[in-house]
Amino acid sequence: VVIYIFFPTPKGRNKSFQIKFFRINSCRFASCWVFFTLIAFVSSMIRYFSEDISFRFKNKQFTNSWLRTVAGSELKRIGDINIIFCSDNYVLDINIKYLKHDFFTDIITFDYCQNNVLSGDLFISIDSVRENALFYNTDFSVELNRVIVHGLLHLIGYDDHSEDDIKIMRSKEDYYLQLRSSLI
C-alpha cells in the first residue's frame, strides 16, 4: 500500500510525502500510523516567511541544524517555529497591537512552547537588523543570526528585562554564534 499525503504550504505550493506500508492487515492501523507520522513530521519544523518586504533567507538547512543544536544544548527540542522577516513598520504595528509598546525593535517573539518543545513566531525587522549591523560594525548575516538565536533564547526561557538578564542573554548569543562559526 502506498499512500500520498498532500498539504498546502505558504504561497500555495503543495508538498507531498510518500509513505509505504507493507503487510498491513488493518486500514484503521494504517490511518492512525499515517496520522501520527504526519503530525510528528509537520509539528517539528522551522519555517521562513517574508511579510511586506522582498527578502530571501539563505542557508535554511544549516540554520535549522544550528538551531536544533542550540535547543538540544539547552535540553529543549524544536517544535513548530515560524521565522517571519518583515519591515520596521510591520514589527511596530505588531508591537502596538499585541504588546501595547509604541517603539521599534528588531524582533518580537510570540511563545507557544509546551514543556520542553519550543514553538513560536519570531517577527524579525530586516530594517533594524541592517541598522544594527552598521551601528555595531558587523556583517549583516552575523547580526541576523544573532537576532534569530535571540528569539530562540526567548523561547527557551531567557529574558532581557534586567541588566543581569541582558548579560546572560548576550553571553548566550555570543556562545551560540561562536558555535555556529565552528560548525561551518
Side-chain angles (χ1 to χ4, degrees), residues 22 33 88 107 111 127 156:
F22 301 98
W33 199 84
D88 268 348
I107 184 168
D111 185 336
D127 299 328
I156 289 168

Side-chain angles (χ1 to χ4, degrees), residues 3 21 132 135 174:
I3 299 173
F21 298 93
N132 290 344
F135 182 80
D174 291 340

Side-chain angles (χ1 to χ4, degrees), residues 5 17 28 30 36 43 58 62 66 71 75 79 114 116 125-126 131 133 137 140 153 162:
I5 300 170
F17 297 92
R28 185 178 301 160
F36 289 119
S43 67
K58 299 175 184 172
F62 180 77
W66 171 57
L75 303 177
Q114 293 182 348
N116 289 326
S125 167
I126 294 301
E131 287 176 25
N137 197 26
F140 170 79
L153 289 168
S162 73

Side-chain angles (χ1 to χ4, degrees), residues 100-138:
K100 308 298 185 230
H101 299 155
D102 190 3
F103 56 82
F104 292 102
T105 185
D106 52 4
I107 184 168
I108 295 177
T109 303
F110 290 99
D111 185 336
Y112 312 125
C113 299
Q114 293 182 348
N115 302 318
N116 289 326
V117 179
L118 305 177
S119 296
D121 294 330
L122 282 59
F123 288 87
I124 298 174
S125 167
I126 294 301
D127 299 328
S128 289
V129 171
R130 281 196 180 103
E131 287 176 25
N132 290 344
L134 288 172
F135 182 80
Y136 293 110
N137 197 26
T138 190

Side-chain angles (χ1 to χ4, degrees), residues 39-183:
I39 293 302
F41 182 80
V42 171
S43 67
S44 181
M45 293 181 69
I46 301 171
R47 291 175 291 232
Y48 300 86
F49 304 94
S50 291
E51 290 292 335
D52 87 325
I53 62 167
S54 179
F55 179 76
R56 186 163 181 230
F57 183 68
K58 299 175 184 172
N59 300 318
K60 291 176 188 173
Q61 288 181 328
F62 180 77
T63 299
N64 291 354
S65 177
W66 171 57
L67 294 175
R68 288 180 197 286
T69 301
V70 170
S73 296
E74 299 284 338
L75 303 177
K76 307 284 185 180
R77 68 182 177 88
I78 298 293
D80 189 20
I81 297 176
N82 297 308
I83 300 175
I84 304 103
F85 303 108
C86 50
S87 70
D88 268 348
N89 288 330
Y90 196 90
V91 170
L92 178 63
D93 289 344
I94 290 171
N95 215 4
I96 292 169
K97 183 175 181 178
Y98 296 103
L99 303 176
K100 308 298 185 230
H101 299 155
D102 190 3
F103 56 82
F104 292 102
T105 185
D106 52 4
I107 184 168
I108 295 177
T109 303
F110 290 99
D111 185 336
Y112 312 125
C113 299
Q114 293 182 348
N115 302 318
N116 289 326
V117 179
L118 305 177
S119 296
D121 294 330
L122 282 59
F123 288 87
I124 298 174
S125 167
I126 294 301
D127 299 328
S128 289
V129 171
R130 281 196 180 103
E131 287 176 25
N132 290 344
L134 288 172
F135 182 80
Y136 293 110
N137 197 26
T138 190
D139 187 67
F140 170 79
S141 63
V142 171
E143 184 62 21
L144 181 57
N145 288 321
R146 178 179 298 281
V147 173
I148 290 171
V149 80
H150 180 92
L152 188 69
L153 289 168
H154 275 304
L155 294 179
I156 289 168
Y158 293 98
D159 217 336
D160 55 2
H161 293 298
S162 73
E163 287 299 319
D164 288 341
D165 290 343
I166 291 169
K167 286 179 187 175
I168 292 168
M169 182 73 89
R170 293 298 171 261
S171 174
K172 290 284 185 178
E173 289 170 9
D174 291 340
Y175 174 78
Y176 288 122
L177 286 171
Q178 187 65 35
L179 175 67
R180 181 184 173 90
S181 297
S182 72
L183 295 174

